Amino acid sequence: MYLADSRARTSAQGAARSPAGRRRAALAPTVLALGTVSLVTDVSSEMVTAVLPLYLVTGLGLSPLGFGLLDGIYNGFSALVRLAGGHLADRGGGRHKWVAGLGYGISAVCKPLLLLAHSLTPIGIVLAADRTGKGLRTAPRDALISLSSTPGTRGRAFGVHRAMDTAGALLGPLVAFWILRATVDGYDAVFTVSFCVAVLGVLVLVLFVPGGRHDTVPARQRPTLRAALALLRRRDLRRITGCALLLGLATVGDSFVYLLLQRRLGVPDRWFALLPLGTAAAFLLLAVVLGRLADRVGRWTVFLAGHGALLLAYALLLTSWHGTGLPYLVLALHGGFYAATDGVLMAAASDCVPDALRSSGLALVQTGQALARFACSLLFGAAWTVWGDRAALAGAAVALAGCAAFCLVLRPRGEVPA
């Protein structure tokens, strides 16, 4: 067996016997421990993410095209190593914790290196290394969450984890905002504190997340790379991966959304770091609710509805309305989009992958999505530079509507509500 936490699995198996058991499965020790790690780590990463667009565009004078390149690296480079991370975790016979720990450690080391990078090339290298760490850790972490829950409670389990993760995303920009106002060398201080918090997250992982029982799995029975790639022969997983890729091609990066809001409303630079709070707050409030809803009504229904919310956010940004309610509505819809898609997609993909290849299967879906968002960041940054922000966003909205309509037809047929 490839499950790192056998006690959590026992709890999950008991979920089918009673409602109380289902609640315990959704809050299995592994889920709570990983949620704590993600909370602490997201405080660190979102401190940097909150100030990075302004630091690059205003502080270093990068063009929208240059920022689009870096944003694509920041969000898409992990695709190159997600398959490797997923395969290493499965191939190791359940070393999900240690592969994830390596990824968290690499990302932590990258934070102080931003202090030394002051041009496009070195910043791109540091961000690529940071995303390498994220790529290594994401699939093993999600595999642990999936394996610690039953099919009928996976949406709820991922919702609980994503809610804890988003609590960190909510705190990160607040800490960055406070540091920028309280210090002279604000950006340097943000990067330094971010490193210290990231180290704390690694320590929580090492001390409190249960390790795997890799020594019980004979080498000849461990999954191969060929077996991992052969997962795409499964119809439902192939459709899920294809839809994630298509919709990712029309998903504008978060930083671009915040920059568009700033330009529409004339938000002062000192308040820019607070814009991600609206997204994080909506995500935090809705993650568990929409995860439970996905378990009941079907994960694909909730997943596509989330993209409908994102399309509405684009539409609001394209209108001429400048009312005070605009940023609240856009950020609420933006957070609702993530709450309805992030963990729900992983729960849907988990239903199509056997336990022995869980990490590899989730990595396949994540890789397709990450590559697509990398391409979208490059294309959107180029379109903004050539045609302007409104024309670029209008093109993204049309593409998103078309991809969502196609995915409504291509939806996996084998999925059934719990």
Side-chain angles (χ1 to χ4, degrees), residues 304-366:
L304 290 179
H307 285 86
L310 182 63
L311 184 61
L312 183 56
Y314 291 173
L316 287 173
L317 286 172
L318 289 169
T319 64
S320 58
W321 180 40
H322 288 76
T324 56
L326 177 64
Y328 299 102
L329 284 175
V330 170
L331 295 176
L333 290 168
H334 196 227
F337 156 70
Y338 279 114
T341 58
D342 191 11
V344 172
L345 177 62
M346 291 298 97
S350 296
D351 296 338
C352 311
V353 183
D355 289 4
L357 292 167
R358 186 63 52 83
S359 186
S360 300
L362 297 185
L364 286 172
V365 180
Q366 294 165 356

Side-chain angles (χ1 to χ4, degrees), residues 38-282:
S38 294
L39 189 155
V40 175
T41 302
D42 250 36
V43 171
S44 169
S45 61
E46 291 303 320
M47 286 173 60
V48 175
T49 301
V51 302
L52 193 63
L54 203 61
Y55 175 67
L56 296 176
V57 175
T58 303
L60 301 184
L62 290 182
S63 68
L65 178 59
F67 176 71
L69 175 62
L70 287 180
D71 188 67
I73 292 173
Y74 195 73
N75 290 289
F77 191 84
S78 61
L80 300 178
V81 293
R82 288 193 187 198
L83 288 175
H87 178 65
L88 285 174
D90 288 335
R91 181 73 174 174
R95 289 194 180 98
H96 301 88
K97 169 183 174 177
W98 304 114
V99 175
L102 176 63
Y104 280 112
I106 292 173
S107 294
V109 171
C110 289
K111 298 300 188 296
L113 294 181
L114 287 171
L115 296 170
L116 307 176
H118 298 288
S119 61
L120 183 63
T121 300
I123 290 176
I125 293 173
V126 172
L127 293 181
D130 178 76
R131 294 301 91 180
T132 297
K134 182 176 177 61
L136 284 174
R137 71 179 185 248
T138 302
R141 180 204 65 196
D142 285 350
L144 280 172
I145 296 170
S146 172
L147 292 167
S148 299
S149 56
T150 63
T153 60
R154 280 185 188 135
R156 190 184 313 168
F158 276 104
V160 169
H161 173 268
R162 289 333 193 237
M164 297 180 71
D165 181 271
T166 307
L170 190 63
L171 293 173
L174 284 175
V175 175
F177 175 74
W178 178 80
I179 292 174
L180 288 175
R181 290 181 61 89
T183 59
V184 177
D185 298 323
Y187 293 118
D188 291 350
V190 167
F191 298 149
T192 301
V193 174
S194 175
F195 167 68
C196 297
V197 177
V199 171
L200 177 61
V202 175
L203 291 176
V204 173
L205 175 76
V206 172
L207 296 176
F208 297 104
V209 175
R213 300 190 305 169
H214 53 84
D215 56 324
T216 64
V217 182
R220 65 179 181 274
Q221 296 179 8
R222 292 175 185 171
T224 63
L225 183 60
R226 178 180 297 180
L229 294 176
L231 288 172
L232 289 177
R233 296 176 183 173
R234 295 169 176 258
R235 183 192 61 181
D236 282 354
L237 184 64
R238 186 170 62 249
R239 289 185 175 185
I240 289 173
T241 305
C243 289
L245 191 152
L246 281 175
L247 291 167
L249 285 172
T251 302
V252 175
D254 298 354
S255 299
F256 280 120
V257 173
Y258 304 141
L259 286 172
L260 286 165
L261 265 179
Q262 185 198 32
R263 294 197 172 198
R264 282 284 308 276
L265 301 175
V267 177
D269 290 353
R270 65 180 181 274
W271 298 105
F272 182 83
L274 294 181
L275 290 178
L277 293 180
T279 297

